[in-house]
Amino acid sequence: MVPLHNSVSVETFDFGAMSFGWTTNPQDSLVPFDPLFGDYNVLLDGHAHTTVSDGRLSPEQLVDYSIAQGCNAVIVTDHNTVRGGLQAEKYAEAKYPGEFVVIPGMEYSNCRIHMNFININTTVRVGNKEFPSDEDMQLAINRVHELGGLVIVNHIPWSNRTLERLGTPRLLNHPSVESLIRWGVDGFEIINQATFDLPTFQHVRARNSSAGRPLVLMTGSDVHMPNTAFAWTVLRAKSLSKDAIMDEIWNARTSFLFDPTGNRANVIPAYSSSYLALAPLMELAGYFSTFYDHYPGQYSFHGTHCQHDIVDFHGSSVGLFVVYLIAGVLLFELVYRVLGLVAGLVKQRINQRGVSAD
């Protein structure tokens, strides 16, 4: 259910004032999923967002946050734009030279699929529309390869999960893993936040055991605002540089650390002043959201929603509200009359005492 008052664009928390003065060390308690992987020197977050799209952290804050979460590299993939990644890369190169690496990219986002296009400096617009065809997606994949980038298919369980009440997958007509492989994708995100996509992991592992170029296995926090970290992609790069990290990814020499309970990092932002000023009115307006349930569908990232909205009105709630309103008016009238009667009696008694005193 999405109450009507939630559509008012008021940010609840002041994320812009946040800083991250702590560090997580996942390597202290976790080992790579592949026990034969050995030592590693890169802890990478392969999927992150900033305020350039729908994130709550600026590109600069995202870099600082990633360091606090134990990473020394991050792939910034804002929805349908590389601007956030380029801005974060510029900041990291200036503030953390040789210590932290940003790989710019974008998340190709629409109503059929989400894919990370990584290590590109140009926004890929070809083949990206609300409902792209199979051919559109292949054009986009080819364009990324022309730019020297890689294509990673994101969060298949999230994409295919059925939305309540709407009765459809979140993303409609998502391509199969086999189709995507035929079209030339380079790998799959097999952990997104706390979800381990075991079927895709098993499929890719089985395929990688055969001949041909192996597919990449990636993990990503998909961070939009500060939250618990669950997974880190680990690599054994020749140096802490973008080229060395991309060489490991390109050759599918990745493993990952995974903690399904997540780390214990806890950052609580302060409430924004605008929210606190409007909260009483918004909560009052929230009462009327009991009259209906609103199911808007998945946002397409093209200015629309992938499914038609459904609004369920609750006639009984509206009817009872009218009954309560009438009862309240009648009660007020009754109390008003009783108080008036009591006041009249008191006034009469006072007057009688005055007469007796005379």
Side-chain angles (χ1 to χ4, degrees), residues 143-213:
R143 177 56 180 155
V144 174
H145 290 155
E146 290 172 359
L147 294 171
L150 297 180
V151 178
I152 306 296
V153 180
N154 289 341
H155 49 57
I156 293 177
W158 178 90
S159 302
N160 286 331
R161 189 167 294 131
T162 301
L163 295 176
E164 65 170 303
R165 182 64 178 87
L166 296 173
T168 68
R170 179 177 274 111
L171 301 184
L172 305 172
N173 193 24
H174 192 284
S176 67
V177 171
E178 280 302 326
S179 294
L180 290 163
I181 293 173
R182 285 199 309 272
W183 299 346
V185 302
D186 301 289
F188 293 83
E189 182 183 66
I190 44 86
I191 298 179
N192 177 274
Q193 299 181 28
T195 300
F196 186 177
D197 183 1
L198 182 60
T200 301
F201 172 78
Q202 292 173 326
H203 189 113
V204 172
R205 271 291 178 92
R207 184 189 178 282
N208 283 356
S209 64
S210 61
R213 179 178 167 231

